Amino acid sequence: MTDEQERRGIFIAFEGGDGAGKSTQIALLAERLEALGLSVLSTREPGGTPKGEALRGLLLGGAQDWTPLEEAALMSLARGAHAAEKIRPALAAGKIVLSDRFADSTRAYQGASGLSSEEIETLHQLHSKGLEPDLTLILDMDPAEAMTRAARRGSADRFEARGLAYQEELRRRFLLLAMAAPERRKLIDARGAPEEVAERVWAAARRLVEAS
Ligand code: TYD
């Protein structure tokens, strides 16, 4: 069976810098899709499976000072399990998969930490056979505003602690990714009330959902 025949569902990833409100938007979109009678699987990275969550603990626990290559390899390994054990089976079952981060996070974060795109794409092919979302929604906002939001939530893990210049670089990398494939990556203005942002998310995702 080819990948296309296998994939009857829809795969949507949410991306963006820290504190852009991805988890809130995923919950609001899941609610909307379920109200339409659609079957939704919400998941996250790093994590999504027991193996992935174990790797998440290692990556975000702060006990080790991982090099960018080690970090990318562990992220990619976690993604491989996530793709094989959770995302592909859900797509084969016709579900709509909403993932809080996917491969573009490695492209932006580990790219910003100095890894080359060749290294990142090699890992992605190796672990996840190059799986890509049908649609990636990049929640875009000024990092200074996003950091204020994150601080209010009390979430300052080692990534968020990397500071404003790193977040500006992430934003630039996400913008470049969107420009490289505008048909499957959409920038969403993440400013304003969650309900306003949810309308922008729906405007970007609606056609794909209705066509399925
Ligand atoms: P998390 O607490 O889930 O943050 P957020 O709410 O911003 O998604 O932590 C995930 C962190 O891991 C986040 O700072 C981004 C980082 N990350 C990478 O550096 N590379 C990756 O491939 C992924 C999936 C996440």
Side-chain angles (χ1 to χ4, degrees):
M1 201 187 275
T2 68
D3 193 44
E4 281 315 304
Q5 285 166 324
E6 212 181 298
R7 286 178 61 161
R8 291 187 292 122
I10 303 174
F11 180 17
I12 302 178
F14 283 72
E15 297 280 4
D18 300 302
K22 287 182 282 76
S23 46
T24 305
Q25 290 309 317
I26 288 174
L28 290 172
L29 181 58
E31 221 171 84
R32 190 188 291 253
L33 295 171
E34 278 161 359
L36 294 172
L38 298 164
S39 176
V40 178
L41 174 78
S42 299
T43 186
R44 70 163 179 181
E45 290 202 356
T49 64
K51 288 175 198 167
E53 290 296 331
L55 289 166
R56 180 187 179 90
L58 289 177
L59 278 157
L60 303 184
Q64 306 294 335
D65 193 11
W66 303 109
T67 66
L69 177 58
E70 288 164 344
E71 209 167 73
L74 290 169
M75 292 289 182
S76 185
L77 193 59
R79 180 164 306 123
H82 193 208
E85 295 171 13
K86 197 164 178 187
I87 298 175
R88 288 189 195 270
L91 293 175
K95 293 189 183 179
I96 302 185
V97 177
L98 305 181
S99 185
D100 188 335
R101 301 195 179 282
F102 195 67
D104 284 352
S105 278
T106 306
R107 294 179 176 119
Y109 282 79
Q110 279 64 55
S113 299
L115 226 65
S116 74
S117 51
E118 289 73 21
E119 289 167 315
I120 291 169
E121 298 313 325
T122 300
L123 287 167
H124 188 47
Q125 283 302 327
L126 185 66
H127 293 129
S128 303
K129 301 190 166 52
L131 178 66
E132 295 295 338
D134 299 297
L135 179 65
T136 297
L137 300 173
I138 299 170
L139 298 190
D140 177 63
M141 82 188 277
D142 173 31
E145 274 178 60
M147 282 189 97
T148 310
R149 270 205 213 177
R152 269 206 303 270
R153 273 188 347 214
S155 56
D157 62 23
R158 64 186 286 261
F159 293 90
E160 282 156 355
R162 278 175 170 160
L164 211 51
Y166 187 81
Q167 296 290 339
E168 302 273 9
E169 178 58 19
L170 289 175
R171 187 185 201 192
R172 194 183 71 83
R173 286 176 180 264
F174 279 122
L175 293 177
L176 287 173
L177 285 167
M179 283 166 63
E183 64 296 340
R184 58 184 179 84
R185 290 190 186 104
K186 306 283 178 210
L187 281 180
I188 306 287
D189 181 353
R191 290 170 304 174
E195 296 71 24
E196 289 172 66
V197 181
E199 286 311 311
R200 295 177 201 134
V201 165
W202 182 234
R206 183 176 192 155
R207 195 166 343 135
L208 181 63
V209 172
E210 289 178 347
S212 73

